[in-house]
């Protein structure tokens, strides 16, 4: 069993428009945009990162907004719900806020004894706010006060045709099975970074078709490259096809496909989002990876429309 993984690092999804995506995460959820860069493999598309004050691992939601992209079709083999932690006693204030801002799909329920508020993003993405005691400090802005601010991820839920092999993988990665509620199995990383929970839901339906509103991949946190290489070797020894480490400027990344079809990444906590911007100015300027720096004029004039904050 691995002991290098600390919980979630980030979750990356697809969107149909940069401005609507930015408005939802900064003006509705009150997160901080901590980086404005581009998709390394498609530099004509933004890569937007939202999180807490410094974009700590376990707090960062990222998006590739392909302008005008068709929505995905929900199904098995994908992340179905991304959940954020909020302070205990704040769901009422959040429910009123989301309704006042005309956010769709706002409902309440309880999972594993925790109250949660479910709602949808601009591309039909399903999110939840979960009340829990959490020492992490959220980013307060745009009408979201510090006493109700999102503190980081609570969990991701994966919808699978069969949970068995993915459960075995999570246990190998250091997660412990905590309980079952209906068709959902909960796994937790003990002594993690706060973003500690993975839910596996078994359901008999068609495979998902990825598009706007779909989660592209889920990233797990390790402290540094040495730990990442240890995880990579252990996964390969177990039979997984894992990419070599890839420099993503703000972290190093390796990727592999899970038995249930979800793409996993293992990302380093170093060097962080302040490697090319002062902490007080994170996410303000367009930052380009060195291999695309020569495209700046073309990208800004033709492909990357300015995002109004």
């Amino acid at each position: 069993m691995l002991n290098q993984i600390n919980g979630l690092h980030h979750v990356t999804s697809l969107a149909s428009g940069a401005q609507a995506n930015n408005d939802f995460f900064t003006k509705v959820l009150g997160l901080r945009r901590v980086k404005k860069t581009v998709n390394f493999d498609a530099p004509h598309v933004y890569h937007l990162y939202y999180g807490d004050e410094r974009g700590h691992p376990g707090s960062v939601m990222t998006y590739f907004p392909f302008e005008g992209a068709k929505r995905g079709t929900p199904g098995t083999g994908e992340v179905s719900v991304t959940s954020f932690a909020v302070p205990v006693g704040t769901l009422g204030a959040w429910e009123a806020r989301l309704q006042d801002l005309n956010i769709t799909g706002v409902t309440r329920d309880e999972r594993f004894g925790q109250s949660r508020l479910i709602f949808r993003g601009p591309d039909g993405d399903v999110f939840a706010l979960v009340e829990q005691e959490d020492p992490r400090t959220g980013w307060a802005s745009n009408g979201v006060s510090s006493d109700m601010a999102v503190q980081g991820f609570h969990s991701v839920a994966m919808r699978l045709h069969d949970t068995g092999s993915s459960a075995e993988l999570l246990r190998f990665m250091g997660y412990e099975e905590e309980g079952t509620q209906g068709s959902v199995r909960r796994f937790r990383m003990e002594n993690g970074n706060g973003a500690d929970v993975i839910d596996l839901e078994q359901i008999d339906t068609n495979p998902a078709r990825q598009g706007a509103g779909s989660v592209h991949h889920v990233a797990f946190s390790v402290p540094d490259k040495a730990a990442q290489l240890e995880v990579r070797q252990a996964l390969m020894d177990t039979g997984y096809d894992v990419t070599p480490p890839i420099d993503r400027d703000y972290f190093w990344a390796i990727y592999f496909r899970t038995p249930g079809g979800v793409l996993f990444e293992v990302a380093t906590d170093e060097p962080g989002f302040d490697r090319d911007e002062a902490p007080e100015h994170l996410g303000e300027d367009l930052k380009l990876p060195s291999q695309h720096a020569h495209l700046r004029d073309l990208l800004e004039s033709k492909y990357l429309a300015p995002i109004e904050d």
Side-chain angles (χ1 to χ4, degrees):
M1 186 177 74
L2 299 174
N3 60 11
Q4 298 89 345
I5 294 172
N6 299 319
L8 295 175
H9 186 282
H10 65 269
V11 177
T12 294
S13 295
L14 307 176
S16 63
Q19 186 65 60
N21 182 258
N22 182 85
D23 289 350
F24 178 77
F25 284 97
T26 62
K27 297 179 182 179
V28 176
L29 295 186
L31 300 181
R32 185 183 191 188
R33 192 180 70 217
V34 295
K35 194 60 59 180
K36 180 170 64 173
T37 183
V38 296
N39 185 323
F40 275 46
D41 301 316
H44 64 288
V45 176
Y46 276 118
H47 193 177
L48 303 176
Y49 293 74
Y50 312 97
D52 64 11
E53 181 181 11
R54 300 291 290 270
H56 289 106
S59 77
V60 180
M61 190 82 204
T62 100
Y63 271 85
F64 300 132
F66 289 85
E67 298 295 327
K70 183 179 178 181
R71 284 195 181 185
T73 302
T76 57
E78 67 170 355
V79 170
S80 55
V81 184
T82 303
S83 299
F84 298 94
V86 294
V88 174
T90 62
L91 282 194
W94 273 110
E95 186 171 16
R97 176 179 175 83
L98 296 179
Q99 290 174 340
D100 287 347
L101 293 173
N102 298 313
I103 301 304
T104 60
V106 180
T107 58
R108 285 228 207 182
D109 73 358
E110 186 175 286
R111 178 171 282 190
F112 293 97
Q114 292 180 299
S115 298
R116 66 175 188 167
L117 185 67
I118 302 171
F119 56 99
R120 291 185 177 270
D123 288 300
D125 337 30
V126 182
F127 299 100
L129 301 178
V130 181
E131 291 187 341
Q132 69 175 18
E133 297 290 344
D134 197 316
R136 295 177 292 174
T137 301
W139 175 254
S141 69
N142 288 310
V144 176
S145 61
S146 59
D147 60 357
M148 66 180 286
V150 170
Q151 297 158 305
F153 290 120
H154 170 272
S155 61
V156 294
M158 296 189 288
R159 185 190 294 120
L160 307 173
H161 182 70
D162 182 1
T163 61
S165 297
S166 293
E168 183 178 348
L169 170 62
L170 288 178
R171 284 191 287 265
F172 179 71
M173 292 171 62
Y175 284 82
E176 297 179 4
E177 187 161 3
E178 190 173 69
T180 301
Q181 181 177 321
S183 61
V184 179
R185 302 168 69 179
R186 170 154 291 185
F187 293 79
R188 184 179 298 273
M189 176 68 64
E190 293 298 327
N191 302 313
N193 61 11
D196 302 329
V197 175
I198 305 289
D199 287 343
L200 302 183
E201 180 184 10
Q202 186 161 310
I203 185 170
D204 184 16
T205 190
N206 294 326
R209 187 174 69 242
Q210 201 165 82
S214 302
V215 171
H216 184 269
H217 63 265
V218 177
F220 296 84
S221 162
V222 292
D224 51 36
K225 289 180 66 179
Q228 184 185 68
L229 289 174
E230 292 172 355
V231 170
R232 180 175 185 266
Q233 187 62 55
L235 288 167
M236 293 175 66
D237 290 345
T238 309
Y240 286 95
D241 183 12
V242 188
T243 69
I246 301 171
D247 184 359
R248 296 304 193 193
D249 280 1
Y250 311 107
F251 47 85
W252 288 81
I254 58 174
Y255 303 88
F256 66 101
R257 186 72 62 177
T258 68
V262 180
L263 182 63
F264 276 8
E265 173 184 343
V266 178
T268 62
D269 293 351
E270 57 180 19
F273 294 105
D274 57 358
R275 69 176 296 272
D276 58 2
E277 286 182 299
E280 61 269 24
H281 295 295
L282 290 180
E284 294 180 4
D285 297 326
L286 176 65
K287 297 296 181 181
L288 296 178
S290 57
Q291 64 267 39
H292 298 317
H294 66 287
L295 299 174
R296 180 175 291 275
D297 289 345
L298 174 64
L299 295 175
E300 291 186 322
S301 64
K302 186 174 182 181
Y303 295 106
L304 303 177
I307 298 174
E308 297 181 8
D309 294 325

